[in-house]
Amino acid sequence: MKIRRNKQQSHHPKVRLPWPIQWLGMLVDLCWGAFGLLICCFFIADFLFPHPNLVNGQFVPLERYSTLVRSHDGVPLRHFADSKGVFRYAITAEQVSPFYLKALFAYEDRYFYQHPGINPLSVGRALGQWLTHGKVISGGSTISMQVARILTPHERTILGKATQMFRTIQLERALSKDEILSLYLTYAPMGGNIEGVEAASRRYFNKPALALNDAEASLLAVLPQRPTSYRPDRFYQRAIEARNKVIERLQSQGEISAENAQSLLHEKLSLNRGESPFLAPLLARDLHVIYPDRALIDTTIDSAIQLRVEALVKNQANLWEPRASAAVLVVHNPSHEIRGWVGSADLFNAQRFGYIDMTQALRSPGSTLKPFIYAIAIDKALIHSASLLSDSHQKFDQYAPANFDSHFYGNVTAMTALQASLNIPVVVVLQALGAEQFEHLIRATGALLVHKETNLSIALGGTGTNLHSLVQLYSAFANKGVVYPLKVQPDTLAQTHRGVPLFSEGASWIVWDALNHVRRPTGINTTRPIGWKTGTSYGYRDAWAIGVSGDWTVGVWVGRPDGAPHQNAYGITYAAPLMFRIFDALPKDQHPIHRPDTVVDKLICWPQGRAVAQTKPDACEQKFEAKTLNGWTPPTLPSQLARFQPNQPTADDIQRQQRIDLKITSLKAGSHLFRQPGILVPLKSSCLNPCPRKLNWYLDGQLLSQPRLDLDKIRNNSAVVSVSDEFGNSDSVTIYLH
């Protein structure tokens, strides 16, 4: 049976809500619809107008960051602005003073980590102030909104503010809060061409942002609000007043105590009013070219050593001709790190071609390769330290070298020939060794040798190399004969490189010990053990001096970068004094060079060159104490036996003959002279041997253009007059003026 129900009974009667609740519901529905429409509009706008700095959810800067090159002890060497001349360094919150972050949040955006990029309360407050006063009283911008405005600038209009909010949401959607904070720390305007807290900290206070004190941090927290008006280097009092607002805000929010606030309010700012750092400028320039996208480039340079070396080079350059330049490398032997790098005498001196880095320039090495020929020959059992060599006129096919002073000194030991830098003996040894084999061994270390054909002239500078290669080679004398790549950055592959053995530890020590006993230039009183060698290329184009102690290798080049002759510029007179002064400025050696057990003293006989025990008594005409490798006493090279004569000058004998003892004759030490306008005192000297063509006269260390004194122009009551020649000889007198 089908039951029929009354439709009226099954129908629920409609309940009419009060009209306020109905309107509230309609408003909620409208808001949800508007919100949904807003979301749809955002995604459409996000698709049509993507943020220029966001690619696949990652921030990509449109401009390269600035580059800071710094020493191994954290001291800035040189800053490089970006392509628009702005100084800006990428930085994170961990690299900033914690008090700076506290001040920033207290003054700019207390709820940075709570809001979604836009703080409705702040925006509402700013809108109400604008409607009430008809002008902007406070912006209501959060840190996220400020980053959005910095990255994509807009006009200060309602449409501009809407655009700013849109860009802010784009950033908040793609990046974390910490990433957005890092962008603010990097890009916030800090006055002029300074952006970001790191650049501002270094510019205004000469320190990294992590080292800011509380007073400095408070100022940098408020500086982006009015970066031009609050610049402390221009408007100090105005900057102090702005800083104090931040401190008072921190106190009112309970972030600091009243006592702390009072102390900070009265603290003065110590501003950096000096110039931007400018150490090792050519090295920094080269590294910036190699790594243009790096914001921070660390080096192995020691800032203290670099400062001293640059000052020494500058002082010495004042005594040289106007077009002469210099290059210096200082290497720490145990670590193979370059601690000092000077590429030119003066970067800004176009006359000296100061923009050219001469540490890398291809030049003739002069005599600086001689020690390596002897060391390799000892290792190959061709010679020992006292092997007989003849310094006499000899021809090698069509090659007939001569000594620098055009004299010959007869029979000499191998190490005497090296100490006196004689040319014929080293060519004899290279011929026995083989120029091709020598070249192969040198190039295997990574050192540079450039020439058209390999021949014996390599021994006397007939090739091309650079200061970097020579210093790298010489450092082997402190590293048991092993050549290591030099490091100028702490993260280079050279750090784990095992090095290339060039000769044995014994051969290395024998040669280094001989160079350590070379007579030093007049006036040099350094007591540090240093094996050193000078070199002068053909035509006085290059003057070299390279020295090795236990911890340090110092290489010096002096010359004209344009390749023109630098008349009378010898390694001994120009490069060596500078090298020894640099050694005096270096820390003491902690790793002395020790004589190895493989070096054995043997009594040997000339002319055969063998040990006394291996020589018949009637064949032993002269005996010498020789330093040998493992006791080996190789016989005299056949080409030298026939040239034996019963004489053997020592290195001191030869150097004494090469020396020209100078004496100032026109002035007596302690003379009292009277100033008279127009009276010029001629300067004269005497020599034991014929004087060289040119003598250099100095007044209180300044080179005189003519050998005469104008007493009326000397400012001091006393003066030092000195003269020097190309062999390192000199004389000086002190005079008194009335």
Side-chain angles (χ1 to χ4, degrees):
M1 180 177 178
K2 192 173 183 181
I3 300 175
R4 301 182 65 182
R5 295 186 178 181
N6 192 324
K7 292 182 181 179
Q8 205 170 9
Q9 292 177 347
S10 63
H11 181 71
H12 295 284
K14 288 185 178 180
V15 179
R16 289 186 176 273
L17 298 174
W19 67 267
I21 298 178
Q22 292 184 39
W23 278 100
L24 181 62
M26 292 174 62
L27 183 61
V28 170
D29 291 341
L30 183 62
C31 288
W32 274 110
F35 180 72
L37 180 63
L38 192 64
I39 294 296
C40 291
C41 290
F42 169 78
F43 281 105
I44 293 172
D46 187 42
F47 176 78
L48 295 176
F49 306 102
H51 198 290
N53 293 102
L54 295 176
V55 179
N56 298 325
Q58 300 292 324
F59 177 79
V60 178
L62 298 182
E63 290 288 336
R64 290 175 177 169
Y65 293 119
S66 304
T67 298
L68 171 62
V69 184
R70 65 182 183 182
S71 67
H72 85 104
D73 47 341
V75 174
L77 299 179
R78 188 175 179 183
H79 296 294
F80 293 91
D82 68 9
S83 59
K84 294 183 178 179
V86 174
F87 288 95
R88 176 198 315 113
Y89 306 108
I91 193 170
T92 62
E94 291 76 17
Q95 298 169 302
V96 177
S97 158
F99 193 89
Y100 170 83
L101 296 176
K102 182 188 292 188
L104 175 66
F105 292 139
Y107 202 78
E108 289 287 356
D109 194 349
R110 193 175 183 184
Y111 303 103
F112 171 71
Y113 282 100
Q114 284 74 44
H115 61 65
I118 301 170
N119 189 335
L121 296 178
S122 299
V123 173
R125 183 189 69 248
L127 182 60
Q129 290 173 339
W130 177 68
L131 292 173
T132 303
H133 298 277
K135 62 179 181 178
V136 175
I137 302 298
S138 63
S141 293
T142 64
I143 289 176
S144 300
M145 293 174 69
Q146 292 182 56
V147 171
R149 185 178 68 245
I150 292 170
L151 296 178
T152 53
H154 61 79
E155 295 182 358
R156 290 183 174 272
T157 62
I158 296 296
L159 178 60
K161 181 61 75 172
T163 302
Q164 180 185 11
M165 293 181 178
F166 167 64
R167 295 301 189 190
T168 300
I169 296 172
Q170 284 182 313
L171 290 175
E172 287 276 349
R173 178 169 167 264
L175 305 176
S176 69
K177 285 288 188 181
D178 287 341
E179 289 173 324
I180 293 173
L181 178 60
S182 293
L183 291 178
Y184 180 86
L185 300 177
T186 300
Y187 285 92
M190 294 289 186
N193 62 341
I194 307 298
E195 291 185 3
V197 63
E198 180 71 13
S201 181
R202 292 191 179 277
R203 172 61 183 84
Y204 298 128
F205 304 115
N206 195 28
K207 62 174 68 173
L210 190 62
L212 288 168
N213 64 37
D214 294 353
E216 296 162 348
S218 299
L219 171 61
L220 295 190
V222 72
L223 186 55
Q225 284 202 350
R226 300 179 67 181
T228 300
S229 299
Y230 292 162
R231 281 189 62 165
D233 57 340
R234 294 186 179 179
F235 308 104
Y236 180 81
Q237 191 56 41
R238 199 181 296 169
I240 291 293
E241 293 171 0
R243 179 204 67 177
N244 290 349
K245 291 180 182 179
V246 176
I247 295 171
E248 291 166 355
R249 179 78 60 86
L250 285 165
Q251 181 188 351
S252 68
Q253 294 180 2
E255 297 291 344
I256 59 175
S257 65
E259 293 79 10
N260 192 10
Q262 286 302 311
S263 175
L264 292 175
L265 288 172
H266 292 90
E267 186 171 333
K268 294 183 178 181
L269 297 175
S270 299
L271 296 178
N272 171 37
R273 303 183 185 277
E275 298 179 353
S276 297
F278 211 73
L279 289 173
L282 291 175
L283 168 64
R285 180 196 67 186
D286 293 344
L287 291 174
H288 181 50
V289 170
I290 296 172
Y291 306 108
D293 296 322
R294 284 196 188 179
L296 181 64
I297 300 176
D298 282 315
T299 71
T300 60
I301 297 299
D302 183 298
S303 60
I305 291 175
Q306 184 69 29
L307 274 168
R308 295 182 200 131
V309 173
E310 288 188 8
L312 287 169
V313 171
K314 184 176 181 180
N315 290 339
Q316 287 292 111
N318 291 331
L319 306 178
W320 303 334
E321 69 159 90
R323 295 185 180 275
S325 189
V328 176
L329 287 179
V330 178
V331 171
H332 183 242
N333 297 324
S335 64
H336 324 300
E337 293 179 347
I338 298 175
R339 297 291 174 83
W341 181 308
V342 176
S344 68
D346 184 352
L347 176 66
F348 299 106
N349 190 324
Q351 199 173 14
R352 296 189 190 274
F353 302 90
Y355 50 86
I356 300 177
D357 187 348
M358 296 305 296
T359 65
Q360 309 294 315
L362 190 68
R363 311 292 292 200
S364 165
S367 298
T368 56
L369 292 178
K370 289 177 179 177
F372 304 100
I373 295 173
Y374 285 109
I376 294 173
I378 291 173
D379 228 26
K380 299 296 183 183
L382 292 174
I383 60 171
H384 49 68
S385 70
S387 287
L388 167 63
L389 295 171
S390 178
D391 183 48
S392 58
H393 177 71
Q394 300 180 52
K395 290 192 69 173
F396 306 86
D397 293 330
Q398 300 302 312
Y399 184 46
N403 285 322
F404 200 82
D405 60 0
S406 300
H407 289 86
F408 296 109
Y409 297 93
N411 299 318
V412 293
T413 67
M415 291 303 98
T416 297
L418 172 60
Q419 292 170 327
S421 196
L422 301 178
N423 288 343
I424 311 302
V426 75
V427 174
V428 169
V429 175
L430 181 59
Q431 184 183 47
L433 176 63
E436 292 82 3
Q437 182 180 11
F438 174 74
E439 176 187 353
H440 171 75
L441 291 172
I442 294 295
R443 283 183 170 168
T445 67
L448 186 69
L449 287 182
V450 178
H451 44 257
K452 291 183 178 179
E453 74 174 296
T454 304
N455 53 47
L456 297 178
S457 69
I458 292 177
L460 308 182
T463 185
T465 188
N466 58 28
L467 180 62
H468 188 280
S469 291
L470 286 176
V471 170
Q472 179 177 310
L473 288 170
Y474 270 82
S475 65
F477 289 112
N479 288 302
K480 301 179 180 181
V482 180
V483 179
Y484 290 90
L486 302 182
K487 294 181 291 183
V488 76
Q489 290 183 267
D491 57 347
T492 56
L493 293 177
Q495 189 168 9
T496 57
H497 200 290
R498 296 179 59 186
V500 177
L502 183 57
F503 33 72
S504 68
E505 182 182 3
S508 174
W509 185 87
I510 291 171
V511 171
W512 177 85
D513 182 63
L515 295 175
N516 180 40
H517 287 88
V518 174
R519 180 182 295 187
R520 299 180 179 187
T522 303
I524 299 299
N525 300 314
T526 305
T527 58
R528 184 195 306 249
I530 301 171
W532 63 289
K533 184 74 182 74
T534 61
T536 306
S537 68
Y538 178 77
Y540 308 101
R541 288 173 170 81
D542 308 277
W544 303 89
I546 307 173
V548 185
S549 69
D551 280 9
W552 305 100
T553 298
V554 176
V556 175
W557 170 89
V558 178
R560 286 184 49 165
D562 60 359
H566 184 190
Q567 202 61 36
N568 291 324
Y570 295 83
I572 190 68
T573 55
Y574 275 74
L578 176 57
M579 181 199 72
F580 280 108
R581 289 187 179 99
I582 292 171
F583 266 111
D584 286 341
L586 296 176
K588 293 182 179 180
D589 294 295
Q590 303 299 318
H591 307 84
I593 300 175
H594 295 291
R595 172 174 173 154
D597 295 337
T598 54
V599 175
V600 180
D601 290 329
K602 286 280 187 176
L603 193 63
I604 65 100
C605 289
W606 272 11
Q608 294 183 5
R610 305 302 299 270
V612 170
Q614 298 172 302
T615 307
K616 295 180 180 180
D618 59 349
C620 190
E621 298 193 25
Q622 287 182 261
K623 296 178 182 179
F624 297 95
E625 194 74 40
K627 294 179 176 64
T628 69
L629 185 61
N630 297 311
W632 301 336
T633 54
T636 300
L637 296 172
S639 64
Q640 304 301 286
L641 275 173
R643 296 178 174 272
F644 173 69
Q645 298 292 331
N647 76 303
Q648 189 266 323
T650 66
D652 283 348
D653 292 334
I654 297 172
Q655 290 177 349
R656 200 172 294 114
Q657 292 180 54
Q658 292 174 339
R659 289 170 61 84
I660 302 172
D661 292 333
L662 284 178
K663 293 293 180 184
I664 296 175
T665 57
S666 55
L667 295 170
K668 288 186 178 181
S671 297
H672 291 261
L673 305 177
F674 294 88
R675 306 175 193 270
Q676 298 183 46
I679 299 299
L680 300 178
V681 177
L683 297 174
K684 298 178 181 179
S685 65
S686 66
C687 314
L688 290 181
N689 295 331
C691 289
R693 296 178 184 175
K694 182 178 179 181
L695 297 174
N696 294 318
W697 289 89
Y698 302 92
L699 175 65
D700 289 333
Q702 299 294 319
L703 182 65
L704 297 174
S705 58
Q706 298 291 332
R708 58 193 182 191
L709 290 179
D710 187 343
L711 300 182
D712 193 46
K713 292 184 178 180
I714 300 177
R715 302 291 183 185
N716 302 323
N717 294 328
S718 64
V720 177
V721 180
S722 57
V723 63
S724 67
D725 64 23
E726 64 265 41
F727 296 110
N729 302 293
S730 63
D731 188 28
S732 63
V733 296
T734 300
I735 58 175
Y736 300 93
L737 296 105
H738 304 278

